[in-house]
Structure formats: structure tokens, C-alpha cells
Amino acid sequence: MIFGFRISEPVIAQSKTTTSEQSFSTGLQENRWYKNVVIYNLELDTFKDSDGNGIGDFQGLIQQLDYLDVLGVDVIWLAPFQPSPRQDNGYDISDYYGVNPIYGTSGDFSEFMHEAEKRGMRVIMDLVVNHTSDQHPWFQEARQSMNSKYRSWYVWSEERPKDWNKGMVFPGVQQETWTFDKKAGAYYSHRFYRFQPDLNFSNTEVQTEVQKVMGHWLRSGVAGFRLDAVPFIIEDPYSDRENPTHRFQLLKELLRFIGWRKGDAVVLGEANVEPGEEVEYFGKEGNGMSLMFNFYANQHLFYALATGQINEFTNALQATKSIPEASQWANFLRNHDELDLGRLTEEQRDEVYQAFGPKKNMQLYDRGIRRRLAPMLGNRKQLELAYSLLFSLPGTPVIRYGDEIGMGDDLSLKERNAVRTPMQWSNEPNAGFSEASKTDRPVIDEGQYSYHQVNVAAQRRNPNSLLNWTAKMIRLRKECPEVGLGDWTILDLNSPHVLAIKYDWKGSQLVMIHNFSKEPQQVQIKSDVASGKKLVNLIEEKENTVNKEGVYQFNLEEYGYQWYRVGGVMRN
């Protein structure tokens, strides 16, 4: 497929069920739209500038919706776009109900929502309610007087708490989590930067206001929220900073409100938790957050990519397997933050550093790497392996803008801004992103990842480009609903390098095989896995049948990957 030509999606027939109960259960599963979609994360600032001021905006995004449509994007996840001093990429919000004028007007937002809906795309937006900007009118009023209505909307202490410098989200950059405010005459809590004071969710007025914010944007047409920093929203701010008490009832109330306002709305939660802790976030009956990022598996995936050894990654997948039927993991490779490796051992983390971020300026917060995927991996074969894995892992795939063309990073920028450079549309000035003489964020204009070498326009015309390959894999993922809806099993191949996952759903089976090694591998699968049927390769025109010994044999090249459907076609 050459990128730019629209391809109709296959129609998947519904199989008949033997009982009304089975039919009801199947219907519920298939109506959970978030289970078989591709989510695309972007920031307005850096996506497309329509008015020449050097900053991306809603009209620019509208101009590129056809690009996202043809790529195969189902859901656009928007980074914060509300009014903000933009000291933290818009995550320091000063008005929850508006649109930052640099991105356009409320009318521009409405037009964008209309155009996205025309193309069958849903929109989810960042909901940042753990903290506000210190420029928010609520905080400015709270500082004025102990008697201010908004004083109790934030978290204060007259004395400096003993753990004033504990529990920092950005170690090495942050100095404290409690800061003294002269005007208020007290210390205020901030888990993030000092210009982002924490909201007090113990206050019912704060809870009610956040519900109004959610109701406002749901009414505006969004399909749900990516909920930022979930554990910090629900923690008791006066408990131990490094081992806080979490009040999950607060989360349940937020989610219940969203369900009342819009029944099919989703919440994609950012909660970097250990296996077993996700139960309270998903809800024991699946009545919690619809999706959560699988940070635990992600970190062990990068350990596997760095070492070629799959054992720890396999264990991580197994450890995060048991979740409610209604719930779903969101899988990703890179996002807008650092590659967080905090769940790995120190030795494991050092191995990932050595492979993907050996220089000190590539590392961040004593736990992560601040690079994009393409320069980290450095070669096309391993890049394809990583994305084939992303689209074939149990859950919903989330991709970061620009990764579909293999964009690089700018390590001269501070902290996480290294991976937040303008989208590279063409080899025209400013990467075709803006006609301004100078862009708000610098484009990458030097080296092998410069926009002269890496851009959408060039890759559209190249049938072998990463962009066209990615579009093909997204289409293939949509032809494999088993991945989002089915039961899955990791097959024992007796290999330290090759991962094989089998999916079962409504009588159909898939087998996905990935070689993490830089050396070719040969593996075998017992014939009873597919009951003696042929395995049809979904990527190449090949079939695999049982040999004389009664096994399927696979030859995988270095970083090779293969997707097979058992029997050749989906059962109707």
C-alpha cells in the first residue's frame, strides 16, 4: 500500500452464539469501542501551524486530519490546550473551561470536533486536575487570606513538613514538594513543579468543580479523558510522601460521574503501579478506569529490546494479565515524557542505559531516557520489531506523533522537551510545520533525523518507507480483533529470545512470533496449538504446515516477526 490511497476496512461478520447469555456477553465486549482502536497522541503546539505565528493550532490540526485518517488513527489524544502560562507544556492550567488563544477559539475547537467526527475519529483530552498553575485565579485568591473561599481548595501547612523534600516527581530538577508562599504565610504542596500547586481533593467543593469541568468537555463532544497523574489525585497529601495513602473512593466518584454524563466515555489512566495494584484502578468488577497505560510491561519490554532476552518481559506480561473483562491495557513504546525505567532493578536499568541512552544528557530524573524511539533503536529492523510488538500485544496501541515516520530528538532542549519538537511534514522551511520566521519550538534541522531527511512528504511517495509500513501494520491490526478482544496465551518455545503469543476469540486463532535477538533464530511449536491446521502468514504470502515430526517450524531472521492466522481466514 502506498500512503495516501484510502483502503476500505474489512467487514468482520458476527458469529452465532448458542445461548442468549453468550450473545449478550459478546455484544458487551464488541461495544467496548476502546478495545480495538489505535490512539494517536499529539500536541497542538508542535503539530501544524496555520497562521504563521510559529505555534501549532486547531486550524492546523484540521488541515492534517485526512493524514491521520489515512494512517488509520481512530482516536486522537490531545495534550492540554486550555489557557496556561505554558511553563510545563500546558500541564499548568489557568482556566479549565477555555481554549488558549494561541491555539484558536472555542469555535475552532468545535470545528475540529466536527471534522474529526466526519472522519469517524473520536477525541480524548488530557484532564489535569491534580494541580493547577500558580497563576490560576483560584490559587491567586487562596494566597490572599486564610478566609478566602479558595484557601481550602489547595493543600497548606503552617509549618514546614518533615518530608518537605520527599516524593518529588522530577528528582534532580525539583528541590522540594512543599514551598513557602510569603503572601499566604504558609507552605503549599506541589508534587510536581513549584508553579503547580496541588488541588485538595478532600474538599467536596473541589470535587464538584472537577465534575463541572468534565461535564463541560463531555458536552463539547470529547469521548473521554486521559487522566493525568491518577495516584496523586487520590492520595492523602498529609500521609507519607513516599508511601502515601490512596483514597480510591474519590476515583470511583469521578468515574461514576463520567458514566452518568456519557455512557460510552472512556478514561485512560496514567498510573505507574506495580502488578496487583491495578485492581483498585480498574475496579474489581471492571467499573473503574476503562484503560491504563501498562508502564510495568513497557519498562521490561525495553529491557528485552536492549538485551535480546525475553524472560523478564514475559514475566511482566503474565504479571499484568489478570484484569477485569471490561478493562484494557494501553500499550505504548514512547510518549511525551521520559522513558521511565524506575520499575527495573539498578542493574537492568544500567543495561538499558548502555544500549539506548549511554550519555548523561540522554538520561533524566535518575530513572529514565529522554530520547525518541528511532534514535534509541537506531536501525529499521528493530524499529519494525518494536512496532509489530506494539500492535500485537494484548491491549490497545497508543502511538506518539512523528514516530510513524521515525522522528528524532533534540537533546539540546531541556528535560522532556527533547521529544516535543515540531512535526516534520516536508523538506520545506521549518519542516512544513510553519511559515513563521522562527518557530516556538525549534525544528530538527541537522543530522540524520533532520526534516531534510525525515518527513511525511518524502515517505508518502516511498512504498518502502516507515510511514507506509506503519499504515499497513495499523490496517493489519484492525483486521485482527482477536488482539483486542480475545484470550491470550504465551507459548513455551524454549527460547530466551523469541516471544510467541496465541490469541483465541470466537473460534478464530492468531499466533504472533517475535525474535528479540540480533541473530537469526529457529523455533518450533507443537502441532496441538493449532490442531494440525495450516498457519497463514498475514504479512507475507507464506503458509506454515505441520512437518513429519508433528510440529510447526519457524525460521526468523534477526529482529524478525511473523503474524499467523490459524486456518487462513476468520470464522464467520
Side-chain angles (χ1 to χ4, degrees):
M1 180 195 71
I2 303 293
F3 194 87
F5 290 91
R6 194 176 303 275
I7 296 175
S8 60
E9 294 297 333
V11 177
I12 300 171
Q14 305 262 339
S15 67
K16 294 182 179 180
T17 52
T18 57
T19 68
S20 59
E21 182 178 343
Q22 289 172 330
S23 178
F24 181 70
S25 176
T26 299
L28 280 180
Q29 271 287 72
E30 294 177 358
N31 283 326
R32 291 172 180 137
W33 59 263
Y34 51 89
K35 293 232 172 185
N36 264 318
V37 295
V38 173
I39 301 174
Y40 188 95
N41 169 228
L42 63 86
E43 299 158 20
L44 285 169
D45 311 58
T46 54
F47 201 62
K48 186 68 169 71
D49 172 23
S50 71
D51 57 11
N53 68 351
I55 302 174
D57 47 50
F58 274 115
Q59 287 298 327
L61 175 53
I62 290 169
Q63 292 172 10
Q64 301 301 335
L65 283 177
D66 284 334
Y67 165 80
L68 297 179
D69 189 19
V70 176
L71 178 60
V73 171
D74 303 293
V75 181
I76 297 173
W77 157 25
L78 286 179
F81 55 82
Q82 295 105 318
S84 162
R86 297 176 69 228
Q87 291 180 274
D88 182 24
N89 224 56
Y91 284 85
D92 50 327
I93 293 173
S94 56
D95 176 9
Y96 283 105
Y97 296 98
V99 172
N100 194 323
I102 64 173
Y103 303 137
T105 65
S106 295
D108 292 319
F109 171 78
S110 295
E111 184 181 354
F112 156 68
M113 292 297 297
H114 172 67
E115 292 295 331
E117 183 180 1
K118 274 171 56 177
R119 293 162 176 82
M121 286 187 275
R122 290 178 167 92
V123 177
I124 63 174
M125 60 178 284
D126 259 302
L127 183 65
V128 186
V129 292
N130 161 252
H131 55 257
T132 70
S133 165
D134 61 1
Q135 300 305 306
H136 197 294
W138 300 342
F139 187 70
Q140 289 300 313
E141 288 197 37
R143 299 174 65 212
Q144 302 301 319
S145 167
M146 288 283 291
N147 298 321
S148 166
K149 167 189 173 180
Y150 295 104
R151 185 72 164 207
S152 62
W153 284 39
Y154 294 88
V155 181
W156 301 91
S157 176
E158 293 186 12
E159 302 293 331
R160 187 169 78 171
K162 293 180 180 179
D163 57 357
W164 63 274
N165 61 350
K166 302 295 183 182
M168 291 175 286
V169 174
F170 307 125
V173 176
Q174 262 180 286
Q175 303 302 318
E176 57 197 3
T177 54
W178 290 88
T179 292
F180 186 74
D181 183 81
K182 290 183 180 179
K183 182 163 287 190
Y187 292 84
Y188 65 89
S189 170
H190 57 93
R191 276 291 203 164
F192 291 77
Y193 297 111
R194 64 189 304 166
F195 53 79
Q196 294 170 319
D198 294 338
L199 282 169
N200 179 16
F201 262 80
S202 297
N203 188 327
T204 56
E205 290 183 343
V206 171
Q207 297 172 33
T208 299
E209 189 67 27
V210 169
Q211 289 177 355
K212 290 179 182 178
V213 171
M214 296 187 301
H216 169 76
W217 292 109
L218 288 171
R219 188 71 175 174
S220 297
V222 300
F225 305 97
R226 178 262 186 186
L227 189 55
D228 185 63
V230 182
F232 298 133
I233 295 173
I234 62 175
E235 76 175 16
D236 179 347
Y238 295 106
S239 62
D240 186 340
R241 281 276 147 127
E242 296 183 316
N243 187 28
T245 300
H246 292 107
R247 300 162 295 178
F248 287 99
Q249 186 60 35
L250 295 178
L251 179 60
K252 291 177 182 177
E253 292 299 326
L254 286 179
L255 298 173
R256 186 177 293 121
F257 176 85
I258 292 172
W260 285 338
R261 284 297 175 95
K262 191 169 187 175
D264 66 345
V266 301
V267 174
L268 169 56
E270 183 198 29
N272 187 348
V273 298
E274 292 275 6
E277 294 178 3
E278 76 278 354
V279 174
E280 293 287 357
Y281 293 90
F282 279 133
K284 294 179 181 178
E285 304 300 324
N287 55 352
M289 292 189 297
S290 320
L291 305 109
M292 279 176 59
F293 292 108
N294 197 339
F295 285 99
Y296 189 77
N298 175 265
Q299 297 179 44
H300 290 87
L301 167 58
F302 274 88
Y303 179 71
L305 290 170
T307 64
Q309 304 288 325
I310 67 165
N311 185 56
E312 295 297 332
F313 178 48
T314 299
N315 291 341
L317 289 176
Q318 297 283 25
T320 55
K321 181 178 182 180
S322 297
I323 60 176
E325 184 181 27
S327 307
Q328 185 88 321
W329 286 116
N331 298 310
F332 64 102
L333 294 171
R334 287 295 289 112
N335 58 23
H336 61 296
D337 291 327
E338 78 283 2
L339 170 61
D340 191 339
L341 304 170
R343 299 290 179 190
L344 302 182
T345 66
E346 186 174 346
E347 181 180 353
Q348 291 170 338
R349 188 161 49 250
D350 286 344
E351 289 187 78
V352 181
Y353 279 156
Q354 189 60 39
F356 299 141
K359 297 180 181 179
K360 200 64 180 175
N361 72 334
M362 297 174 175
Q363 302 167 17
L364 190 63
Y365 307 140
D366 301 323
R367 64 168 181 252
I369 296 175
R370 63 188 200 105
R371 304 183 73 193
R372 279 236 188 205
L373 186 67
M376 274 200 297
L377 300 184
N379 67 88
R380 174 68 179 266
K381 284 192 172 182
Q382 198 175 20
L383 198 58
E384 286 189 12
L385 171 75
Y387 268 101
S388 176
L389 271 164
L390 174 66
F391 294 127
S392 63
L393 287 176
T396 296
V398 182
I399 59 179
R400 171 78 169 154
Y401 83 92
D403 276 357
E404 72 272 19
I405 60 171
M407 274 181 58
D409 43 53
D410 184 349
L411 296 176
S412 70
L413 300 177
K414 290 184 178 180
E415 297 181 59
R416 296 163 295 165
N417 286 339
V419 298
R420 299 173 178 180
T421 58
M423 181 67 174
Q424 296 171 191
W425 295 106
S426 69
N427 62 0
E428 297 174 351
N430 292 326
F433 161 73
S434 173
E435 295 181 356
S437 57
K438 183 180 180 181
T439 56
D440 182 59
R441 297 267 179 85
V443 298
I444 298 176
D445 58 4
E446 295 181 350
Q448 71 181 100
Y449 296 101
S450 77
Y451 68 84
H452 303 288
Q453 309 297 324
V454 178
N455 63 72
V456 170
Q459 292 196 23
R460 268 180 168 146
R461 298 187 293 267
N462 180 357
N464 298 314
S465 69
L466 181 63
L467 175 60
N468 281 311
W469 178 90
T470 303
K472 181 183 73 172
M473 294 302 291
I474 289 175
R475 178 192 176 196
L476 179 57
R477 169 64 177 82
K478 292 181 178 181
E479 293 173 351
C480 298
E482 297 94 333
V483 179
L485 297 171
D487 296 323
W488 60 273
T489 305
I490 294 178
L491 304 178
D492 183 8
L493 301 184
N494 196 30
S495 169
H497 307 295
V498 182
L499 174 69
I501 302 179
K502 180 170 75 76
Y503 290 94
D504 292 273
W505 181 67
K506 293 174 63 175
S508 295
Q509 291 183 326
L510 294 175
V511 176
M512 330 291 255
I513 307 175
H514 293 83
N515 175 22
F516 284 74
S517 173
K518 58 184 177 182
E519 303 293 336
Q521 301 291 317
Q522 186 179 86
V523 294
Q524 296 180 338
I525 294 178
K526 294 178 181 179
S527 62
D528 56 8
V529 167
S531 302
K533 298 178 180 178
K534 65 181 178 181
L535 303 182
V536 175
N537 195 315
L538 299 179
I539 298 175
E540 304 173 9
E541 292 187 12
K542 294 181 180 179
E543 293 184 2
N544 194 305
T545 56
V546 180
N547 65 19
K548 293 180 180 179
E549 286 72 37
V551 300
Y552 297 96
Q553 186 165 294
F554 302 89
N555 295 307
L556 297 160
E557 61 182 14
E558 65 275 20
Y559 302 129
Y561 54 91
Q562 296 176 6
W563 292 28
Y564 289 96
R565 187 176 295 288
V566 178
V569 295
M570 273 197 68
R571 196 176 102 185
N572 291 331

